[in-house]
């Protein structure tokens, strides 16, 4: 039954509708989608959908046997179709039956739906959110007071549906992840968990990166309330939650956003710009105001409704360069390859976020160096962090290499020092590096099984001691040998092996060392954060450097041996006279190595140079040692 009288609740002004069209409505889910209201003790629902070129729109669903009985009316000024009705009930399924501009009739999803039916169905659900009474005020208050760049940030990257499975093969939802994943994050000493996209998507093979529902938790993972409870429990245990989000392109499925009213509505008008050849998807027209309202509303909804602490924006390169894709491209009106609309959108997105939620981390997955990504809106795109893909590619290439050739390629280990302050970086050892035949991190390592574990410990220690925030993909922490499979659980059976158990323990202890060592994160935005001792020891292939905290005495000496040859009587130049104690050795027996005890304390001596302070110690084969000053005189070497 269609209601002709305007309801007294949930009234939306024409100005709110128009602000969606101008790109300035950042709560457009309050205007569009489905909303419940009560009048005269009767429950009504109002449905609104933006389809400016559609000829006719019907609301169809369980409540009318999917028949064209609920005709929606169009606001010609805004292109928004609307109906108020008491026919649907909570949890009914629905879609919009649209007659497109060319006369074609098609069932379309609600772009603003907050819940969808479980696959393989794609219908939206008539769903009213409940107001949660959050208990995470202490966490959120601390996040606002203490800047993120002055804290440790160590991220455990998770694909929610392949972390663990039930015995029947069904993946864990957020109810189970709350009971299982959160204690694991605590045990492993991570500061944050990052989920690959959680928004509604129809195909597991996309890993969530081809979305259909930008306001809906994927029904695969449970209810929105389940995710809220999970985030709250993380916060109560001092763990932040980051979610991947995909504003550059969307799923090509015909019943979703693609050519919604029969015209390029969400996508670019030019076919070569709309079509994303590389990923088989469709690119958003980021210059269109309505798309800006849609996308910025989406990200703010996730931050505000689920208390998300950070957003990793996927595929930024594809949004800021017109020639990034594999297909044909055209130049912009200035004759360049920059996607000017994409750059403007990202600046606007970050400006809005920093105005409303400055404590929320904005992270770019971006692989080029032509555009400044992090920093102020005036000087960059305005992100807080950028994934350091160059470091990741160089480092993995180096660790896969036979040590015989490493001395001739030592620059792969050290080149990142040249540009480490150009951006605020996160060092990612992510899902992308352990799939599609690339092999797991463990399997990439050179040599036999013992040497592979030794080098994995070496690699993770370098990750933790190199300037930049940290990210490691699930399963890598215990040295899973098989590469990641999106449709299977992690190889938890590996932990029946003693070496994998010790690798897991090693990662947990290393994460704790990172959290406790302010010198590893306190000055990361400054060149003072690191002092290179020796980056030119190619013959022995040993890299040594100092990580410095705010206090002069707060520093660590890091020495990495990249060959299977133990370096005895190895001399290291240190800044102050005194005693240095080894606090970390990757070859300790409890970590899977062979060393029963640490190196003895080192006393400085002078090797003939004026005021030169030298210590001598043993650096294990394929191992890393970290030394800390214990008793030093604050007379610095000249």
């Amino acid at each position: 039954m269609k209601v002709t009288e305007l309801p007294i609740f949930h009234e939306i002004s024409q100005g709110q509708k128009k602000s969606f069209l101008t790109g300035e409505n950042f709560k457009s889910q309050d205007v569009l989608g489905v909303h419940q209201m009560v009048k005269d003790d009767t429950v009504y629902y109002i449905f609104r959908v933006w389809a400016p070129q559609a000829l006719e729109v019907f609301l169809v669903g369980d409540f009318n046997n999917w028949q064209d009985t609920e005709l929606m009316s169009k606001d010609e000024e805004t292109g928004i179709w609307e109906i108020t009705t008491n026919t649907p009930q909570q949890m009914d399924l629905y879609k919009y039956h649209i007659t497109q501009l060319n006369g074609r009739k098609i069932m379309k999803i609600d772009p603003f739906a907050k819940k969808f039916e479980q696959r393989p169905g794609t219908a939206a659900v008539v769903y009213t959110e409940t107001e949660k009474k959050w208990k995470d005020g202490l966490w959120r208050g601390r996040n606002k007071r203490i800047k993120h760049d002055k804290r440790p940030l160590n991220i455990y990257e998770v694909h929610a549906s392949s972390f663990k499975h039930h015995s029947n093969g069904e993946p864990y939802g957020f109810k189970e992840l709350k009971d299982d994943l959160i204690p694991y994050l605590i045990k492993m000493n991570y500061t944050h968990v990052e989920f690959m996209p959680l928004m509604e998507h129809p195909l597991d093979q996309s890993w969530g990166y081809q979305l259909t529902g930008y306001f809906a938790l994927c029904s695969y993972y449970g209810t929105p309330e389940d995710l809220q409870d999970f985030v709250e429990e993380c916060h109560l245990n001092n763990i932040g939650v980051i979610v991947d989000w995909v504003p550059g392109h969307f799923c090509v499925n015909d019943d979703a956003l693609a050519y919604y009213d029969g015209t390029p509505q969400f996508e670019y008008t030019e076919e070569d710009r709309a079509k994303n050849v590389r990923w088989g998807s469709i690119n958003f027209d980021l210059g269109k105001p309505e798309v800006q309202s849609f996308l910025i509303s989406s990200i703010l909804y996730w931050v505000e409704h689920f208390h998300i602490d950070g957003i990793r924006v996927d595929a930024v390169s594809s949004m800021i360069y017109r020639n990034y894709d594999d297909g044909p491209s055209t130049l912009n009106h200035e004759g360049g390859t920059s996607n000017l609309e994409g750059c403007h959108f990202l600046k606007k997105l970050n400006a809005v976020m920093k105005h409303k939620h400055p404590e929320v981390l904005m992270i770019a997955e971006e692989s080029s160096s032509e555009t400044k990504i992090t920093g102020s809106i005036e000087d960059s795109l305005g992100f807080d962090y950028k994934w350091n893909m160059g470091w990741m590619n160089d480092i993995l290439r180096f660790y896969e290499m036979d040590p015989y050739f490493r001395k001739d390629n030592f620059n792969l280990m050290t080149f990142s020092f040249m540009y480490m302050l150009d951006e605020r970086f996160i060092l990612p050892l992510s899902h992308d590096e352990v799939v599609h035949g690339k092999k797991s991190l463990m399997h990439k390592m050179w040599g036999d099984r013992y040497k592979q574990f030794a080098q994995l410990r070496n690699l993770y220690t370098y990750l933790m001691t190199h300037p930049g925030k940290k990210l490691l993909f699930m399963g890598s922490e215990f040295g899973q040998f098989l590469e990641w499979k999106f449709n299977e659980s992690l190889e938890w059976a590996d932990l029946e092996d003693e070496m994998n158990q010790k690798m897991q323990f090693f990662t947990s202890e290393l994460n704790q060392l990172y959290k406790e060592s302010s010198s590893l994160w306190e000055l990361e935005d400054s060149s003072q954060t690191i002092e290179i001792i020796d980056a030119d020891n190619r013959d022995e292939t040993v890299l040594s450097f100092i990580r410095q905290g705010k206090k002069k005495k707060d520093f660590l000496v890091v020495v990495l041996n990249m060959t299977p040859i133990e370096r005895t009587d190895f001399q290291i130049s240190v800044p102050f006279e005194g005693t240095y104690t080894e606090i970390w050795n990757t070859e300790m027996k409890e970590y899977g190595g062979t060393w029963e005890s640490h190196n003895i304390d080192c006393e400085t001596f002078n090797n003939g140079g004026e005021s030169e302070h030298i210590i001598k110690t043993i650096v294990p084969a394929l191992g890393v040692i970290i030394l800390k000053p214990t008793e030093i005189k604050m007379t610095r070497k000249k």
Side-chain angles (χ1 to χ4, degrees), residues 394-503:
D394 287 348
I395 289 305
L396 292 183
R397 181 181 162 199
F398 186 83
Y399 277 85
E400 289 181 85
M401 191 178 294
D402 188 314
Y404 179 82
F405 300 104
R406 288 179 179 174
K407 66 179 181 180
D408 297 322
N409 293 277
F410 204 40
N411 62 303
L412 293 174
M413 278 286 283
T414 60
F415 180 64
S416 55
F417 294 142
M418 302 294 292
Y419 63 86
M420 65 184 182
L421 296 178
D422 289 355
E423 304 270 12
R424 282 183 180 170
F425 284 118
I426 289 177
L427 309 178
L429 296 175
S430 74
H431 65 276
D432 274 327
E433 310 319 313
V434 295
V435 73
H436 293 329
K438 294 180 182 178
K439 303 185 290 189
S440 68
L441 294 184
M442 172 67 176
H443 196 181
K444 291 178 194 288
M445 300 297 106
W446 168 87
D448 59 29
R449 191 164 186 265
Y450 179 88
K451 293 184 177 69
Q452 287 178 319
F453 273 114
Q455 288 172 105
L456 204 60
R457 297 191 297 269
N458 186 308
L459 169 62
Y460 293 173
T461 305
Y462 191 39
L463 168 70
M464 287 298 160
T465 56
H466 189 290
K469 306 306 185 184
K470 327 296 178 186
L471 179 142
L472 187 67
F473 184 60
M474 64 181 194
S476 303
E477 75 278 7
F478 60 81
Q480 176 172 310
F481 186 80
L482 296 178
E483 71 174 21
W484 170 56
K485 300 181 182 67
F486 71 89
N487 57 348
E488 296 182 17
S489 171
L490 291 181
E491 301 288 334
W492 294 105
D494 285 359
L495 288 170
E496 296 172 10
D497 185 282
E498 183 182 13
M499 289 297 288
N500 291 100
Q501 291 174 21
K502 290 183 174 182
M503 187 69 220

Side-chain angles (χ1 to χ4, degrees), residues 25-211:
N25 191 324
F26 305 139
K27 286 187 176 291
S28 51
Q29 73 275 11
D30 292 346
V31 175
L32 294 137
V34 58
H35 301 278
Q36 186 187 76
M37 62 203 72
V38 179
K39 183 180 180 185
D40 298 331
D41 297 324
T42 301
V43 175
Y44 296 97
Y45 291 94
I46 183 165
F47 295 80
R48 298 189 189 93
V49 62
W50 175 60
Q53 299 301 319
L55 302 179
E56 196 173 51
V57 181
F58 284 92
L59 172 68
V60 297
D62 291 338
F63 42 85
N64 63 0
N65 295 315
W66 302 90
Q67 300 301 307
D68 289 348
T69 60
E70 301 275 352
L71 177 63
M72 303 180 75
S73 59
K74 182 182 181 182
D75 178 349
E76 295 292 345
E77 188 176 13
T78 63
I80 293 175
W81 297 76
E82 181 174 325
I83 188 171
T84 303
T85 173
N86 64 359
T87 306
Q89 297 192 23
Q90 193 78 187
M91 305 308 290
D92 278 350
L93 303 181
Y94 73 98
K95 284 190 175 184
Y96 297 118
H97 194 195
I98 295 178
T99 303
Q100 295 179 321
L101 185 62
N102 62 1
R104 180 188 182 216
K105 295 180 181 291
I106 185 171
M107 295 279 197
K108 286 283 192 177
I109 68 167
D110 182 351
F112 286 86
K114 294 174 182 174
K115 190 175 178 62
F116 285 85
E117 66 175 321
Q118 290 202 350
R119 305 171 191 155
T122 60
V125 177
V126 177
Y127 165 76
T128 302
E129 297 167 332
T130 56
E131 190 70 29
K132 179 177 174 62
K133 294 182 179 179
W134 289 85
K135 302 174 184 177
D136 61 350
L138 185 63
W139 164 269
R140 285 163 66 82
R142 187 166 58 243
N143 257 9
K144 290 178 180 179
R145 289 193 308 272
I146 306 173
K147 290 186 176 181
H148 51 76
D149 58 335
K150 304 305 180 187
R151 289 182 287 168
L153 178 60
N154 185 13
I155 303 165
Y156 186 65
E157 188 190 25
V158 172
H159 179 248
S161 61
S162 59
F163 178 72
K164 273 191 179 178
H165 284 188
H166 294 286
S167 56
N168 64 357
E170 288 292 315
Y172 279 17
F174 272 101
K175 276 187 177 179
E176 295 92 344
L177 290 172
K178 176 184 171 184
D179 296 332
D180 199 281
L181 175 56
I182 294 176
Y184 187 69
L185 294 168
I186 297 168
K187 170 186 173 181
M188 296 304 297
N189 292 306
Y190 284 100
T191 68
H192 288 71
V193 59
E194 177 179 326
F195 290 101
M196 294 159 70
L198 299 177
M199 299 83 187
E200 190 63 61
H201 56 279
L203 188 66
D204 279 347
Q205 285 91 326
S206 78
W207 311 337
Y209 290 100
Q210 294 202 17
L211 303 180

Side-chain angles (χ1 to χ4, degrees), residues 309-323:
D309 303 289
I311 300 292
R312 194 210 73 153
V313 180
D314 182 63
V316 168
S317 295
S318 71
M319 301 169 68
I320 62 176
Y321 299 112
R322 293 171 69 127
N323 61 344

Side-chain angles (χ1 to χ4, degrees), residues 132-141 178 228-229 231-237 307:
K132 179 177 174 62
K133 294 182 179 179
W134 289 85
K135 302 174 184 177
D136 61 350
L138 185 63
W139 164 269
R140 285 163 66 82
K178 176 184 171 184
Q228 287 180 321
D229 291 344
V231 173
E232 179 178 72
E233 188 66 19
C234 280
H235 290 173
L236 293 175
N237 287 279
H307 285 200

Side-chain angles (χ1 to χ4, degrees), residues 14 39 43 84 141 157 168-169 201 218-219 288 316 337 370 375 378 381 389 411 449 460 517 537 556 560 571 603 616:
Q14 195 71 355
K39 183 180 180 185
V43 175
T84 303
E157 188 190 25
N168 64 357
H201 56 279
C218 181
S219 57
K288 188 174 289 185
V316 168
T337 58
E370 289 83 6
E378 294 75 21
L381 294 184
M389 313 294 276
N411 62 303
R449 191 164 186 265
Y460 293 173
S517 301
N537 189 350
L556 297 175
L560 300 100
Q571 294 189 14
E603 299 290 338
K616 188 183 295 185

Side-chain angles (χ1 to χ4, degrees), residues 8 209 230 576:
I8 60 174
Y209 290 100
F230 175 91
F576 301 110

